[in-house]
Amino acid sequence: LSYSKHMSSKSRGFIKAIFGVQGDIYPETLWKMFCINVPYTFNVVWRIIQPWLDDTVIQKIKLIRSRKDIVPSMQACSIPIESIPKACGGE
């Protein structure tokens, strides 16, 4: 995937600056984010923005593509099944 083909250096610089400011103003405010049933276009966007994110942030974001993986993925992060929404397979 080549994002340079789709975005100018000015656009990339602008997006990188936005992420930088967010990280400076709100450091470590995200514990974990689960993105469930994301469309293919999100995967493309995720691959484009990943190089601009800190590894710590990337590790906090979990893409769950299959419904059967929702509960195990959340429980692997020490989320009790009672805290998982029923619509996602929790109790």
Side-chain angles (χ1 to χ4, degrees), residues 12 27 31-32 37 48 57 65 81:
R12 289 191 306 268
W31 174 72
K32 192 64 97 171
N37 294 332
I48 291 171
V57 174
R65 293 178 177 88
I81 196 154

Side-chain angles (χ1 to χ4, degrees), residues 14-88:
F14 179 72
I15 292 171
K16 190 172 184 176
I18 289 172
F19 281 108
V21 168
Q22 191 277 336
D24 291 342
I25 295 173
Y26 303 106
E28 298 300 320
T29 56
L30 178 67
W31 174 72
K32 192 64 97 171
M33 177 188 295
F34 296 94
C35 300
I36 301 169
N37 294 332
V38 294
Y40 175 76
T41 52
F42 182 84
N43 289 321
V44 172
V45 171
W46 178 240
R47 288 185 197 144
I48 291 171
I49 65 171
Q50 260 184 320
W52 299 319
L53 299 174
D54 186 61
D55 286 338
T56 306
V57 174
I58 293 170
Q59 296 304 316
K60 292 178 179 186
I61 299 173
K62 176 81 174 149
L63 303 181
I64 303 174
R65 293 178 177 88
S66 172
R67 184 165 179 78
K68 66 179 178 55
D69 295 331
I70 296 172
V71 172
S73 295
M74 291 182 172
Q75 287 183 317
C77 294
S78 302
I79 298 175
I81 196 154
E82 299 82 29
S83 297
I84 300 172
K86 289 182 181 179
C88 294

